[in-house]
């Protein structure tokens, strides 16, 4: 497996696949996800015999939510 960046997406791909095929799979997946209103965070492409497994992940979402003053006082006691 080698990891490369294609269209701004980290892609871990099986080294036995030709680069043209990897580029095509990434383009098709990105187009499908864009159509669905989703964003691709990273992709894994794995060969398993005659099959290719394409795993796609959305980027993680992080939120900061401030504690209310009374909740933060209770946590310190």
């Amino acid at each position: 497996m080698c990891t490369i960046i294609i269209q701004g997406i980290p892609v871990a791909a099986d080294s036995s696949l030709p680069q043209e095929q990897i580029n095509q799979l990434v383009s098709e997946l990105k187009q499908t996800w864009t159509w669905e209103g989703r964003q691709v965070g990273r992709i894994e492409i794995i060969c398993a015999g005659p099959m290719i497994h394409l795993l796609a992940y959305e980027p993680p979402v992080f939120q900061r939510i401030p504690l209310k003053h009374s909740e933060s006082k209770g946590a310190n006691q």
Side-chain angles (χ1 to χ4, degrees):
M1 283 275 225
C2 61
T3 302
I4 53 177
I5 304 295
I6 301 174
Q7 299 181 26
I9 302 167
V11 179
D14 196 311
S15 57
S16 66
L17 288 171
Q19 186 63 45
E20 298 81 28
Q21 188 174 18
I22 293 170
N23 290 341
Q24 181 182 0
L25 291 168
V26 170
S27 292
E28 290 174 2
L29 180 83
K30 187 174 178 183
Q31 182 179 10
T32 300
W33 276 41
T34 300
W35 179 258
E36 295 173 356
R38 299 167 69 190
Q39 184 180 9
V40 180
R42 69 183 172 100
I43 299 172
E44 295 177 16
I45 304 172
I46 303 165
C47 286
M51 304 294 290
I52 295 176
H53 297 274
L54 187 62
L55 306 165
Y57 303 90
E58 294 187 78
V61 176
F62 297 100
Q63 282 186 309
R64 284 186 162 185
I65 302 171
L67 293 174
K68 294 179 184 173
H69 183 66
S70 60
E71 291 175 357
S72 61
K73 274 180 58 179
N76 292 334
Q77 293 178 352

